[in-house]
Amino acid sequence: MTSVALISLGCAKNLVDSEIMLGALAKAGYVRVEEPAEADVLIVNTCSFIGDAKRESIAAIQEAAAARKGTRQKLIVAGCLAQRYRGQLPALMPEVDAFLGLDQVAKVAEIVDEVCARKRRKGESPEEFVSDRPAFIPDYATPRTRLTPRHSAYVKIAEGCNHACAFCIIPKIRGAHRSRDEGDIVAEVEALVKGGCREINLVSQDATYYGMDKWEGERARRTSGVDSSRGASLATLLRRLDAIPGDFWIRVLYTHPAHWSAELVETFAKCRKVVKYVDVPLQHYAAPMLEAMRRETGPEKLDGLVKNLREGIPDVMIRSTFIVGFPGERDEDFRELSAFVERAGIERGGVFEYSREEDTRAYNLPGQVHHMTKRRRKNLLSEQLFHLAEKRSESLVGRRIRVLVEAPGVARTEWDAPEVDGSVEVPLTLPVGEFAEVQIEDAAGYQLFAKA
């Protein structure tokens, strides 16, 4: 049997694509192996959102190409890097056997068949299987091989993005927003819960835009609020998922501040299985920056959103990301951002230095910020966010809370998403993959310490 290994880079949405590729390969009879060196075929599923992601992807490809020298292993590059630089990579990376785009993830088995059957002549270019504008969206019937633990899963509810943020290349890579059918998502979650899953993480480029692309009549705008009177929405989806029998968490990742509505706040508050964790990348606060970034929000909107979340969702914790060093960012803009973060009490946060990406609106903007200034602002804001997280952690000492046990001695609260947030040290006797009630005894930064 032909063996295959896969290296998955980037975000959770890319991980779902990796799971789809492995599912298609398993259905076709390919055998998955963990070690790349043992595989007949190695697939590298890449990311290319920002410079660091591109460098990581290129390094992984180069390392794989060097490691397979002297073997007959086939090397296939998939994902966002292949999609973004379609038409360019075959000449730049002749050591690769084939490039596979985002529309082709479910067709990977046929492509691997073709690549393995091909006798490539010396000097011949790699094959490229990449469509111009992705349109694929998975459904419940799409084969998948889960790469996450049994107790936690990512469910992709939509693909693509209709926003036009000046710094972002994602719409050009992944295409326009397209929502999955609501009933199809419900069926997938029902099956996961029956299989023992305790945490459903809903992912997409913009979860709050879910369903809006299917509105009849007037088209949704980039500032339209979640509104179930127009049809399926994130609110209707959450209510249906909350009604599924079983004991599990529902976590929503990647919401956009422009689409939060009173209905969505109320839905988060009332749905018992929806964790009180709001992931909303705000990116900045200063009005000139938000306008230049084309974020469709202003300072007043963000102040109002934070107020509504704090007042409307009891015990809510807010996670956000921020970009520093965007072209034209002045010291006073950064001070405004810092003051907002403190005032809003953002408990979970990540800071990115602006990455100048070709083919984005911001690429040619004047006022590019010096790299040392970017680094200094990132360090300052990261330290500030750490202290806010630490303050929140200390407020939990003495409380009895529910956690999901991830591994022996390690758990997460409902306010901690997989991979990106904090953890709880718990007794080794607690069963992995199950919920447990624990008493928080101590805290240090993002880390909590508990006893049963």
Side-chain angles (χ1 to χ4, degrees):
M1 302 292 288
T2 304
S3 60
V4 62
L6 189 146
I7 297 171
S8 188
L9 305 173
C11 66
K13 299 177 287 291
N14 217 37
L15 184 69
V16 174
D17 291 345
S18 293
E19 293 177 337
I20 290 170
M21 284 191 280
L22 289 174
L25 290 164
K27 184 178 179 182
Y30 285 88
V31 177
R32 180 188 169 208
V33 295
E34 294 290 339
E35 290 298 323
E38 299 174 1
D40 298 313
V41 179
L42 174 59
I43 300 172
V44 181
N45 192 17
T46 60
C47 178
S48 67
F49 176 46
I50 57 176
D52 285 346
K54 287 188 288 187
R55 285 186 285 273
E56 182 187 24
S57 294
I58 292 168
I61 295 165
Q62 291 173 337
E63 183 179 341
R68 72 163 186 165
K69 280 186 177 178
T71 74
R72 300 179 67 182
Q73 184 185 74
K74 299 292 186 179
L75 176 59
I76 297 175
V77 171
C80 289
L81 192 75
Q83 185 69 47
R84 180 176 179 180
Y85 297 105
R86 60 191 179 278
Q88 302 176 46
L89 292 185
L92 295 172
M93 293 183 171
E95 65 271 28
V96 174
D97 290 295
F99 295 93
L100 185 152
L102 298 175
D103 263 358
Q104 286 69 40
V105 292
K107 304 171 184 175
V108 64
E110 301 99 280
I111 292 171
V112 171
D113 286 346
E114 185 174 335
V115 171
C116 289
R118 180 191 183 200
K119 292 183 179 179
R120 187 176 168 193
R121 299 181 184 89
K122 187 176 181 180
E124 192 174 2
S125 295
E127 292 184 276
E128 193 173 38
F129 304 88
V130 185
S131 54
D132 286 342
R133 193 163 180 82
F136 173 72
I137 180 72
D139 58 30
Y140 177 45
T142 305
R144 276 176 67 185
T145 297
R146 292 252 311 275
L147 293 172
T148 54
R150 177 173 174 265
H151 59 267
S152 182
Y154 292 106
V155 174
K156 188 180 284 192
I157 63 172
E159 184 58 276
C161 183
N162 281 7
H163 284 277
C165 300
F167 53 82
C168 187
I169 194 67
I170 291 298
K172 290 188 177 181
I173 297 175
R174 290 194 170 261
H177 182 102
R178 44 206 188 273
S179 302
R180 282 179 61 185
D181 179 74
E182 190 173 84
D184 190 68
I185 298 169
V186 172
E188 180 176 348
V189 173
E190 285 176 336
L192 287 166
V193 172
K194 287 178 183 177
C197 192
R198 295 287 179 261
E199 180 183 47
I200 303 297
N201 298 284
L202 305 180
V203 296
S204 63
Q205 270 68 45
D206 176 7
T208 37
Y209 202 84
Y210 174 78
M212 291 188 190
D213 55 313
K214 297 183 178 182
W215 281 2
E216 295 182 1
E218 184 183 354
R219 292 180 61 184
R221 298 186 301 275
R222 289 170 180 161
T223 55
S224 296
V226 172
D227 182 2
S228 60
S229 71
R230 298 290 306 275
S233 70
L234 181 58
T236 62
L237 175 63
L238 291 177
R239 290 194 286 265
R240 288 189 65 178
L241 296 180
D242 192 63
I244 294 173
D247 187 12
F248 61 99
W249 284 341
I250 303 167
R251 187 181 306 278
V252 182
L253 299 175
Y254 314 110
T255 69
H256 194 290
H259 300 305
W260 274 87
S261 65
E263 180 188 4
L264 186 58
V265 173
E266 182 181 16
T267 302
F268 263 67
K270 288 187 174 181
C271 290
R272 295 183 62 187
K273 292 167 185 170
V274 175
V275 296
K276 309 317 172 196
Y277 172 100
V278 171
D279 178 29
V280 54
L282 302 175
Q283 310 303 11
H284 217 285
Y285 178 78
M289 290 295 94
L290 292 172
E291 183 178 357
M293 290 179 173
R294 301 171 63 99
R295 287 293 292 166
E296 312 290 350
T297 56
E300 299 81 8
K301 170 79 174 179
L302 300 187
D303 285 332
L305 174 60
V306 171
K307 181 176 183 290
N308 292 339
L309 293 174
R310 297 291 187 202
E311 293 179 355
I313 307 173
D315 220 13
V316 71
M317 192 173 289
I318 300 174
R319 158 166 269 282
S320 192
T321 55
F322 301 97
I323 296 172
V324 295
F326 188 82
E329 185 186 51
R330 304 163 299 174
D331 286 341
E332 50 262 47
D333 296 322
F334 179 73
R335 285 195 294 270
E336 278 192 51
L337 170 60
S338 176
F340 165 74
V341 167
E342 193 70 30
R343 187 170 66 248
I346 305 296
E347 299 95 343
R348 299 283 187 267
V351 186
F352 295 90
E353 296 175 32
Y354 166 71
S355 177
R356 191 181 182 193
E357 297 299 315
E358 66 272 21
D359 297 323
T360 62
R361 288 177 170 85
Y363 184 76
N364 290 317
L365 285 179
Q368 297 290 329
V369 178
H370 192 277
H371 68 94
M372 291 302 291
T373 302
K374 292 181 188 179
R375 181 60 50 85
R376 177 177 58 82
R377 290 173 180 170
K378 177 184 178 181
N379 291 342
L380 286 170
L381 194 58
S382 296
E383 183 178 0
Q384 182 180 359
L385 286 163
F386 176 81
H387 289 309
L388 288 169
E390 190 170 48
K391 183 178 178 182
R392 173 68 181 218
S393 295
E394 289 170 353
S395 75
L396 296 174
V397 174
R399 284 182 58 175
R400 193 160 185 83
I401 62 175
R402 198 178 201 217
V403 297
L404 178 59
V405 183
E406 282 271 84
V410 182
R412 284 187 291 108
T413 73
E414 67 173 293
W415 306 296
D416 296 293
E419 306 294 334
V420 296
D421 292 320
S423 61
V424 187
E425 184 177 298
V426 296
L428 291 168
T429 53
L430 295 180
V432 174
E434 298 297 339
F435 291 116
E437 296 284 335
V438 298
Q439 180 86 12
I440 303 301
E441 296 286 292
D442 200 0
Y446 294 101
Q447 181 82 16
L448 298 173
F449 302 87
K451 68 177 183 179

